Structure formats: C-alpha cells, structure tokens
C-alpha cells in the first residue's frame, strides 16, 4: 500500500510556495504536497497546474461540504486539475459522499483519492453538545463518520496517528489514514495539542503523514523532509 510524507504548503501566495519547492530541486525525491484553502484561494488553479507540471503529487485540501449535486460538479472540476487526493466533510452525509465520487471519476475510470474529514480537531464535545445538539461522545461520532465514509466508497479519513489503529480496526486495513499533528521529538509543538513523531506514526499504522511547520519553518527544509522520509518510510534520500 502506498505510504508517503505530505508537506503542507501553508503559504500565503504562489511566489512563496514555488520558491519553497525550488529548494527541493535535485534532492532526489519530489515531495507530495498539500494545498489548503489559504494558498488555493490566493493562487488558484494556475498554481496547482504549475506544481503538477513540476512533478509533485498534490493533496487539494478544500474540505467540500454542500448539497450533493454541487459537490459532484465541483469535484469534477478538481479532478480535471489532475490532483491526486481531495477531501470533503463526512458531515455532508453518504449521498453527498457518493455524489463526490461520481464527480471525481474521470472518463477513463481513474480518479484522485477521496478522503473524509470527520470531526475537526477544533470541535470539542462541549461544542457538539451545546451548539450542534449531538450528545454522543466525540470519539464515537468520529468512528461513525469514518464508517459512513468507508461504506460510501471513500478511500480514507484525516485523523490523528493516535486514532489510526482504531480507524483501521473499524473500517479495514486498506482504509487510508492521513495524519497531521506530526512533530520531531526535539521540537516545539506549536498550536498542535496531541503530537506524534514520524517514527511513532509509522508504528501506529498511519498511511500518510501531513507535515507543515516542522519542514516549512525549518532552517534546512530539505534536511527536515529527509528526516521525515527516513523515519516514516525508512528511505534514505
Ligand atoms: O504546521 P503543522 O504541521 O501543524 O501543519 C499541519 C497541517 O495539517 C496544516 O495544514 C493543518 O491545517 C492540517 N490539519 C491539522 N489538523 C487537522 C486537520 C488538518 O493540523 N485535524
């Protein structure tokens, strides 16, 4: 099964993102990158195409959530950008998730991987109870959303490495876990609360680790990326 290290390109514009990627020229490995809302809304499709042209795999992290017909049509547009992974909110329900898969599937039958966000890590049990009127434990809703995503035919979920084993237990080993919250053990956590090293994420069964600031803010981003690749994938670059 494919496993990889995904660098979160959390930059405000194309110039910074592309300048950052220039540093990886000739390092022997093209990083898989994540483009989130900030960079996508600032730099749009042209930048996605440019990063693709340079040979990177792309996770387009736009977290779609709308009526099924709208999500289906929007996913068809994203699939046409030739990205490798997209996502949506499992909270949109199974009809929306199935419509998304239809929209993503290209004429030749190929499609990007489709990953669900369950409950955002910023959602607390108190918020669920007081504002969303969901009285069940957070963990139970996360696993239930993951199961809905799996039954709808999606490829995996975004979750903590600490939840990866449980997600695999509930949804099957082939259901992908894409896991942020990664830190080296000698670095600060920043605003992440529950963090895991690349090596521990590997032990816990994560399929993809998403690493932002430990690489993007490092003095030597290529060395920090190489450390992730070595610790998570066991590959020297
Ligand atoms: O800089 P850092 O490694 O914390 O970046 C993690 C990336 O993963 C960011 O792009 C963040 O938005 C994303 N993410 C996260 N936690 C989630 C979902 C996404 O950190 N639950």
């Amino acid at each position: 099964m494919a496993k990889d290290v995904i660098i979160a390109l959390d930059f405000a514009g194309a110039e910074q993102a592309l300048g950052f990627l220039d540093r990886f020229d000739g390092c022997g490995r093209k990083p898989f990158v994540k483009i989130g809302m900030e960079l996508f809304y600032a730099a749009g499709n042209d930048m996605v195409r440019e990063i693709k042209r340079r040979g990177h795999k792309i996770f387009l992290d736009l977290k779609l959530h709308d009526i099924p017909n709208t999500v289906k049509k929007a996913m068809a547009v994203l699939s046409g950008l030739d990205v490798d992974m997209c996502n949506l909110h499992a909270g949109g329900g199974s009809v929306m998730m199935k419509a998304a898969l239809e929209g993503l599937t290209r004429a030749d039958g190929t499609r990007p991987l489709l990953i669900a966000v369950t409950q955002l890590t910023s959602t607390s049990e108190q918020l669920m109870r007081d504002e969303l009127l969901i009285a069940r434990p957070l963990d139970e809703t996360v696993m239930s959303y993951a199961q809905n995503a799996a039954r709808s035919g999606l490829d995996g979920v975004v979750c903590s490495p600490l939840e990866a084993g449980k997600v695999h237990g509930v949804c099957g080993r082939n259901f992908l876990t894409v896991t942020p919250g990664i830190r080296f053990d000698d670095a600060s956590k920043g605003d992440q609360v529950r963090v895991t090293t690349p090596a521990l994420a590997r032990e816990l069964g994560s399929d993809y680790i998403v690493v932002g600031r430990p690489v993007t803010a490092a003095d030597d981003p290529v060395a920090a990326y190489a450390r992730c690749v070595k610790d998570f994938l066991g590959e020297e670059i």
Side-chain angles (χ1 to χ4, degrees):
M1 188 189 301
K3 290 198 171 221
D4 213 337
V5 174
I6 301 178
I7 301 179
L9 286 184
D10 292 328
F11 294 105
E15 203 176 314
Q16 287 160 280
L18 296 175
F20 171 79
L21 289 179
D22 285 342
R23 303 178 70 162
F24 291 80
D25 280 351
C27 88
R29 205 169 193 281
K30 287 274 177 196
F32 197 139
V33 299
K34 177 172 93 67
I35 297 174
M37 289 185 209
E38 181 190 14
L39 183 56
F40 186 74
Y41 293 151
N45 293 354
D46 288 347
M47 197 218 30
V48 173
R49 289 198 190 91
E50 173 58 19
I51 291 178
K52 199 70 207 176
R53 192 192 63 72
R54 292 176 174 211
H56 298 273
K57 285 190 170 179
I58 298 177
F59 170 19
L60 199 49
D61 177 19
L62 300 181
K63 301 187 179 69
L64 276 67
H65 189 169
D66 207 319
I67 60 171
N69 186 54
T70 301
V71 169
K72 177 177 170 177
K73 289 181 173 170
M75 285 293 186
V77 176
L78 300 184
S79 185
L81 284 174
D82 198 25
V83 295
D84 301 279
M85 188 185 286
C86 296
N87 63 357
L88 47 62
H89 275 282
S94 58
V95 176
M96 186 198 81
M97 289 193 268
K98 288 176 190 164
L101 279 175
E102 277 178 40
L104 271 186
T105 306
R106 305 178 182 113
D108 63 1
T110 63
R111 65 167 175 79
L113 293 170
L114 184 58
I115 305 297
V117 174
T118 58
Q119 293 288 6
L120 291 170
T121 43
S122 53
T123 302
S124 64
E125 226 159 77
Q126 184 183 1
L127 185 151
M128 285 206 320
R129 192 180 57 241
D130 296 349
E131 300 184 24
L132 308 179
L133 308 186
I134 299 171
R136 310 288 274 268
L138 182 62
D139 176 60
E140 199 184 304
T141 68
V142 167
M143 292 305 152
S144 173
Y145 282 29
Q147 272 180 306
N148 284 345
R151 288 193 197 110
S152 301
L154 268 69
D155 302 295
V157 284
V158 178
C159 65
S160 160
L162 301 165
E163 294 161 354
K166 193 160 181 189
V167 169
H168 286 138
V170 168
C171 301
R173 183 63 193 89
N174 292 332
F175 193 65
L176 302 172
T177 51
V178 178
T179 64
I182 303 296
R183 292 293 178 266
F184 296 122
D185 51 12
D186 49 5
S188 88
K189 294 200 274 187
D191 54 357
Q192 296 281 11
V193 179
R194 295 191 306 153
V195 298
T196 306
T197 62
L200 182 57
R202 173 187 182 163
E203 266 175 50
L204 294 170
S206 291
D207 296 295
Y208 293 86
I209 53 170
V210 177
V211 192
R213 288 160 290 181
V215 173
T216 57
D219 292 337
D220 184 344
V222 177
Y225 172 67
R227 185 175 172 191
C228 292
V229 169
K230 181 167 188 297
D231 293 355
F232 184 66
L233 300 173
E235 279 176 34
E236 299 278 354
I237 57 171

